[in-house]
Structure formats: C-alpha cells, structure tokens
Amino acid sequence: MEREAWLRGIWEMVKEGVSQRLLSWHLPSPPFLIPNQLSGLTVIVTGCTSGIGLCVAREMVMAGAHVIMACRNVEGANRIASEWTEDTHNSKDILVEVMPLDLLSLASVHSFGEEWNRRGMPLHLLINNAGAFYMKEDGIERHMQVNHIAPALLTLLLLPSLLKAPFSRIVNVNSVAHHCALIDPTRWKSKINDGDFNAIRAYGESKLAQLMFIKTLAAKLYKKKITSIQCITVNPGIVNTNMVKQQQKHKIAEWKLFWMFSPAEGARSVLFCSTNESVVKNTVECFAHYSSVCTPTKEAPQAMDVNSCFDVWKKTMEMLDLDMDHLSRLIDV
C-alpha cells in the first residue's frame, strides 16, 4: 500500500510539472483581483513574507480587504506592509496589520488566537498558507507540526470568529505531494535518527493529514447544519518558492525552473478558492479540493475514506490535548 501511494504520488507530481503550464494557459495573469472587490472583508493569511502567501496578501490588500499578516518574521512583515502603504497613492485605503505567529510553537498559536478573539470581530477568510519542508528533524516531527497540527489548532481557535461572519471560508494551501503518503500516526513524532524517516514522505503525509482533518471539520459542521463556513483545500502547483530553493541547496534535484509557476501564478488558485462564488457551488458537505488550474479535483484515495479521516481528527485532537466534544462546545457557545 505504501509503495503504491509513493508511486502514485511521484506520478501525480510528474504529471503536475509537465501539464500545469499547458492547462493554465487560459487563466489570467496577475493581478487577479480588482480594486475594492474585497472591501469590508477581514482576512488572516499565515506565512506571508515571501512566496505564495506574500502574493495572496498583497492582492487582497490592494482589493480592499483588511488583511492580518500572521507570521514569525514580524520585522519583515512590518517592512512589507510599510512598502505597500508607501507605494499606494491613497494609503488611507490600505488596511493591513501584522500579528506574530510561530507555527513551531503551539503556545504562540494559542496566544494569537486569544489576542484575535478578544477583538470580537467576524473573520471572513482564514488562509492557512504557511508550510515547511525540512531535511532534519527532532522532537515532534516538524512537517506535521507546521503543516498540520499548528494550522489545525489555529483553525479551531478562530472558529468562533469565522462563525460571526455571515459567510466565511477556510482555505488550506495543500500540495500534490499529499498523494505520496499514507497516514501513519506512529510517524508523527519521528526523529531524524529513526530508520524510517523520509523527508518527502513526511511532507506528503503532513499535507494529507491537513486535508483529511479539514475535510472532517467540514463534515462535522455540515452535520450541525452550519453551512456558512466553507472548507477548501487547494494545490497551488509546483511553485518556485523558498522551499524549492531549499531543496536546490541540499542538492536533492536539479530543478528546471521554466515549467514551474512563479509565486504570483501559484497564488492564483488560492485567490480563486478564496473569492470566487463558483467554489461554493462545487462543495460537497461544505468541502472541496481544488487543483492548480482552479478546477475541482480528486484527493488521494485515503482522504476519501471517512473512517481514515476520522482517525486523523481523533489523533490531532489528542495531540492538541482537546477532547472529542471540543468542537460541539465551540459551536454551541
């Protein structure tokens, strides 16, 4: 089964690399949003000082949204926000602020959630963009921490704020690499000296867990007759970001940059899933998984298994020290 998943994942990644430019030829070039398109909306974007997150945050700011840049590099984010304000003729229309968030620290995630919830504001869009690919690990396996566990906690903490908006979306930036892995919770705390550690598989498994968790959240909300929150996962394609540069540094592969998406092109599907009305029509029980060319697509087979998805939910709640009734209590408040 694991070998089958690995081969399927490699095929999906090769197919993505070969076809993404061909299949996206008809899609628009940036900017993708128009001025004032998002006026009145409040958006939190994680990991937005570079790459896809930076492009997403900038477009949303320029389209009139109130954007909170949630990131570890606060100094860099403040500098970027200042540049946006200075570059805009009518700076009073720029609504952007920076809040510290370190996904390697669950304490930091809790602090962020508590500070945000004290405002009592509705949240219209949560974009869990921040992600990481590590070559070396220790302690809690960092791929799982940054790509799944911490964003899952952040999502649960911000759920009351998302429920205050008439309509809201949770958009998780996923990856075609989720096809490479099978969920095995015994690996969620692997260390680098464990004989079975594989960085690519660990990355893929973290993205698969992310997808299965949010899919279960959507099903649970739908069962509670809460349809105001849509849960979307999106593969942005194979994008030339800092993660790719990291792999070049470690000489994993000689990447051919001409077929990769730029960060702005990678942001296209994320922005589409965050703002386009057709996405809501394509959800099933408040969930949808989208491709890099802005069309619904199938997730890995394990993510289609309801019981496996529930196992991921249960393990995640256990790692977060939350009981199985936590969601019900959040909703009933």
Side-chain angles (χ1 to χ4, degrees):
M1 289 287 288
E2 193 162 280
R3 177 179 171 80
E4 181 184 334
W6 178 257
L7 292 174
R8 182 181 62 249
I10 294 299
W11 165 245
E12 291 292 338
M13 287 193 289
V14 170
K15 187 169 66 172
E16 183 83 16
V18 170
S19 66
Q20 64 179 20
R21 285 215 165 273
L22 294 173
L23 296 178
S24 62
W25 67 269
H26 63 291
L27 296 175
S29 299
F32 307 110
L33 305 180
I34 60 175
N36 300 316
Q37 181 178 343
L38 304 182
S39 292
L41 299 187
T42 301
V43 183
I44 292 176
V45 186
T46 68
C48 47
T49 54
S50 65
I52 293 170
L54 175 61
C55 296
V56 167
R58 188 182 192 283
E59 283 240 10
M60 290 192 160
V61 166
M62 298 307 166
H66 173 199
V67 174
I68 291 84
M69 301 174 72
C71 44
R72 184 170 54 174
N73 183 3
V74 173
E75 183 180 347
N78 278 318
R79 185 170 59 251
I80 290 166
S82 296
E83 289 172 358
W84 291 345
T85 302
E86 291 168 4
D87 290 345
T88 306
H89 296 302
N90 197 3
S91 60
K92 67 181 183 190
D93 292 334
I94 295 294
L95 297 173
V96 58
E97 60 179 300
V98 177
M99 290 179 64
L101 176 67
D102 183 358
L103 296 181
L104 280 171
S105 165
L106 295 185
S108 173
V109 179
H110 275 288
S111 294
F112 181 96
E114 289 166 6
E115 183 179 345
W116 176 259
N117 286 330
R118 276 196 293 270
R119 302 185 183 193
M121 293 173 58
L123 177 62
H124 302 89
L125 264 171
L126 169 61
I127 302 177
N128 286 311
N129 164 76
F133 185 105
Y134 295 99
M135 294 304 300
K136 297 181 179 180
E137 317 304 332
D138 60 346
I140 291 181
E141 206 285 300
R142 290 189 179 186
H143 290 104
M144 199 59 70
Q145 167 90 6
V146 174
N147 298 337
H148 168 52
I149 298 295
L153 175 60
L154 181 66
T155 300
L156 292 173
L157 290 170
L158 298 182
L159 204 58
S161 187
L162 288 159
L163 285 166
K164 288 178 180 175
F167 297 100
S168 57
R169 295 185 196 182
I170 302 163
V171 178
N172 283 359
V173 179
N174 203 257
S175 170
V176 69
H178 87 269
H179 285 278
C180 282
L182 290 176
I183 290 295
D184 180 1
T186 64
R187 281 200 295 252
W188 287 17
K189 292 188 179 182
S190 295
K191 297 181 181 179
I192 190 65
N193 57 359
D194 289 350
D196 65 347
F197 180 81
N198 178 294
I200 296 175
R201 186 180 288 117
Y203 176 76
E205 187 172 352
S206 69
K207 288 297 187 178
L208 179 57
Q210 180 210 67
L211 191 159
M212 294 168 76
F213 180 87
I214 201 70
K215 187 173 184 179
T216 306
L217 173 61
K220 286 179 175 293
L221 292 173
Y222 184 79
K223 192 174 180 180
K224 291 276 190 180
K225 300 188 178 348
I226 295 174
T227 57
S228 61
I229 301 178
Q230 303 297 315
C231 300
I232 316 296
T233 58
V234 55
N235 161 36
I238 299 177
V239 184
N240 185 21
T241 64
N242 287 341
M243 280 199 290
V244 169
K245 292 167 186 172
Q246 179 187 7
Q247 307 327 308
Q248 288 178 299
K249 183 171 65 177
H250 286 283
K251 299 183 178 178
I252 288 181
E254 293 296 326
W255 296 93
K256 303 297 184 183
L257 300 183
F258 72 90
W259 50 262
M260 288 185 178
F261 281 162
S262 68
E265 290 169 323
R268 176 171 47 204
S269 56
V270 181
L271 289 163
F272 180 88
C273 287
S274 300
T275 62
N276 196 282
E277 288 302 317
S278 67
V279 173
V280 177
K281 298 174 185 175
N282 288 319
T283 59
V284 177
E285 295 188 354
C286 299
F287 173 81
H289 180 58
Y290 267 72
S291 74
S292 61
V293 294
C294 304
T295 56
T297 188
K298 287 185 177 180
E299 58 268 31
Q302 195 177 13
M304 298 183 200
D305 184 272
V306 174
N307 292 329
S308 294
C309 288
F310 181 73
D311 287 342
V312 168
W313 174 273
K314 189 162 60 173
K315 178 64 177 178
T316 303
M317 298 301 274
E318 175 190 321
M319 293 185 72
L320 293 173
D321 291 324
L322 299 174
D323 61 55
M324 297 304 288
D325 294 326
H326 180 77
L327 181 63
S328 294
R329 288 197 299 273
L330 280 178
I331 292 170
D332 295 339
V333 168

